[in-house]
Amino acid sequence: MKQNPPLSNEAIWQLLAEIKDPEIPAVSLLEMGMIRQVGLAAGKVIVVLSPTFAGCPALQVMQAEIEQRLRQAGASAIELRLSFAPPWSTDWITPQGRQKLRDFGLAPPPIHAGRLHDALQQPAICPYCGSTHTEVKNDFGPTLCRAICYCHNCQQPFEQFKPL
Amino acid sequence: METADLKTLRETLTSLADDELILGHRDSEWCGHAPILEEDIAFANLALDEIGHANLWLALLARLEDADPQSFADRLSFWREAADFRCAQMLELPRGDWAFSILRHYLFDAAEIERLAALSQYSYTPLAEAAAKIQTEELYHLRHTRLWVRRLGLGTSESHQRLQAALNQLWPYTSQLFELTNKPGGPVLGVDFRQARLAWEAQVLPFLAECELSLPQGQPLALDRQQHSPHLAVLLAEMQSVARLDPQAEW
């Protein structure tokens, strides 16, 4: 039987780049800034994952998919660690990730460097026309991470990824 | 860790988890019944958040107990009897009218943010980290419920009257939000919740006055986290019914 070659660090990152966020399939876990660390120790693949919202029901789906993909690629021992420190921030979403969110119709959150109160005061930028003449209609939307907004310029409702 | 500290830590985690779980269940009761569609969505989200936070606290407790992390949260949520829960009594009261649910949530959200700020300084790192994580998310809850308290307080005479009635009923229960163990008063594991309570009052009292609400007369209730109102058993009968129909079911 042909043995799989041992996975390299690079191969693991590449594999993780293909796993999408199940609630926002336009972006990968990597683009969301959720994968904090990848390592190999004594034949074991270690992945450190920072959950977005603590109550996010997609987390288990993501964990299962990471495990499954790594196994398919030949990893026999996998350790998936959740990390809360520092807590995941929307500042960690990569520039490519932010562009993909926008293309998906989801306004990316402002970069806030930990000043969440300030971020909450800033109007969302409409992903369709780029206007800031917008208003939050509901801080809660179809998933924990999205708020419902309205653009007064192009008169479109849209969603924003909430700053965290 | 000393045995006595470990016991206190377990009690604290159980109280934190049960507060979130029971309030989360009460939130979920508005699903399909909230006054407007946006609030139906908001309360379903609040429920998901709070239950998710309960899950996080229970994961820490599972680690301390060296229990199977996959089944521990379900076992505690669905198979404990009312007497073994440690939630604050304020959170188990029936959801009441909209004003009652909003005000309860606001009082709790404001208290929780102060509790978490205190706990994020705590020396047991996994708990401090979880507290810091949850704290950022709670800002959204507080922002939402605060808006509604103002809207109802300064709204019509009926909305104001309902909100005042809710405050009269809820206020005596609030001190229990800062008593997470049965050692009331002093610092718990080096965390002084009296400071958290003062910070909470400094924020809540002027805001309630701004919303033209007045605090009821009378003493706060002396409550014990081992004792519950009859409402908790009724809530659990519903919350646990599906899991208990088929103990072997996998989900």
Side-chain angles (χ1 to χ4, degrees):
Chain A
M1 211 169 98
K2 188 176 158 267
Q3 284 248 317
N4 277 311
L7 281 168
S8 66
N9 245 338
E10 204 174 44
I12 299 169
W13 280 109
Q14 218 158 45
L15 191 142
L16 292 171
E18 289 165 17
I19 303 180
K20 303 295 182 192
D21 179 331
E23 284 185 344
I24 311 169
V27 289
S28 74
L29 304 189
L30 232 57
E31 287 162 334
M32 289 296 290
M34 292 176 69
I35 309 288
R36 302 313 302 158
Q37 225 181 319
V38 162
L40 282 161
K44 186 154 69 167
V45 177
I46 300 165
V47 176
V48 183
L49 181 76
S50 271
T52 56
F53 281 72
C56 178
L59 182 61
Q60 286 180 334
V61 180
M62 297 180 204
Q63 285 173 294
E65 190 165 353
I66 293 173
E67 288 221 28
Q68 193 198 346
R69 293 280 191 107
L70 287 171
R71 267 184 220 294
Q72 280 169 356
S76 50
I78 300 161
E79 188 184 334
L80 209 53
R81 286 188 208 149
L82 294 185
S83 162
F84 294 101
W88 181 83
S89 160
T90 44
D91 281 7
W92 297 355
I93 303 174
T94 64
Q96 297 91 320
R98 300 170 73 81
Q99 185 55 47
K100 285 182 183 173
L101 288 178
R102 212 174 284 123
D103 296 343
F104 187 65
L106 206 54
I111 305 274
H112 57 76
R115 292 184 299 271
L116 192 54
H117 279 286
D118 294 350
L120 290 174
Q121 304 305 320
Q122 288 182 40
I125 300 168
C126 173
Y128 303 116
C129 74
S131 171
T132 52
H133 188 26
T134 62
E135 174 186 15
V136 175
K137 286 289 185 187
N138 195 348
D139 266 334
F140 298 95
T143 69
L144 289 182
C145 54
R146 305 190 209 178
I148 300 173
C149 305
Y150 185 78
C151 177
H152 292 288
N153 184 52
C154 69
Q155 298 179 351
Q156 283 290 324
F158 67 93
E159 290 171 10
Q160 184 201 28
F161 198 108
K162 290 186 206 174
L164 195 69
Chain B
M1 199 181 297
E2 301 276 331
T3 317
D5 282 354
L6 193 60
K7 186 172 170 281
T8 313
L9 180 56
R10 282 189 180 130
E11 273 181 38
T12 306
L13 281 169
T14 312
S15 297
L16 289 168
D18 287 350
D19 278 1
E20 310 258 23
L21 179 64
I22 298 306
L23 183 62
H25 184 80
R26 286 296 184 211
D27 288 344
S28 77
E29 291 177 343
W30 282 105
C31 190
H33 300 279
I36 52 173
L37 178 63
E38 282 80 357
E39 286 313 303
D40 221 289
I41 296 169
F43 265 68
N45 271 276
L46 291 172
L48 194 56
D49 260 340
E50 303 297 17
I51 294 168
H53 296 165
N55 208 15
L56 190 51
W57 297 126
L58 291 175
L60 296 186
L61 192 58
R63 199 193 297 186
L64 282 182
E65 308 274 353
D66 211 8
D68 169 33
Q70 297 300 321
S71 59
F72 186 78
D74 280 357
R75 185 153 58 79
L76 257 68
S77 306
F78 298 128
W79 298 95
R80 268 183 304 165
E81 302 302 325
D84 299 324
F85 275 77
R86 294 291 176 266
C87 51
Q89 285 196 31
M90 180 176 124
L91 307 172
E92 62 198 47
L93 299 176
R95 72 175 194 264
D97 62 9
W98 183 241
F100 184 87
S101 272
I102 284 292
L103 188 67
R104 169 167 61 188
H105 226 294
Y106 164 71
L107 294 170
F108 177 77
D109 293 339
E112 196 187 8
I113 286 180
E114 298 303 336
R115 285 194 331 199
L116 293 170
L119 285 167
S120 64
Q121 306 301 318
Y122 179 51
S123 59
Y124 181 61
T125 319
L127 192 150
E129 290 177 358
K133 166 74 184 152
I134 294 176
Q135 207 185 346
T136 54
E137 299 180 10
E138 285 295 329
L139 280 179
Y140 283 101
H141 297 195
L142 184 63
R143 185 161 102 129
H144 190 74
T145 52
R146 217 179 119 91
L147 205 66
W148 267 101
V149 170
R150 179 177 283 133
R151 192 176 286 161
L152 295 175
L154 305 177
T156 65
S157 63
E158 187 188 350
S159 71
H160 180 267
Q161 200 186 338
R162 283 177 183 250
L163 197 64
Q164 181 64 55
L167 183 61
N168 295 348
Q169 198 190 338
L170 287 164
W171 191 254
Y173 287 93
T174 50
S175 58
Q176 199 186 16
L177 296 176
F178 297 95
E179 286 158 14
L180 292 167
T181 65
N182 279 321
K183 274 197 303 187
V188 174
L189 304 162
V191 177
D192 191 351
F193 286 105
R194 285 173 302 188
Q195 288 302 319
R197 194 196 158 130
L198 290 177
W200 174 77
E201 281 178 356
Q203 195 195 124
V204 163
L205 296 180
F207 178 67
L208 293 177
E210 188 189 315
C211 299
E212 297 179 2
L213 295 165
S214 42
L215 293 186
Q217 302 292 318
Q219 291 298 309
L221 293 166
L223 300 165
D224 180 335
R225 281 191 180 255
Q226 302 202 30
Q227 284 168 355
H228 296 285
S229 68
H231 304 296
L232 181 62
V234 179
L235 178 151
L236 293 179
E238 184 183 310
M239 190 182 89
Q240 298 175 332
S241 61
V242 175
R244 290 184 179 214
L245 274 177
D246 182 359
Q248 306 305 324
E250 282 188 33
W251 38 4

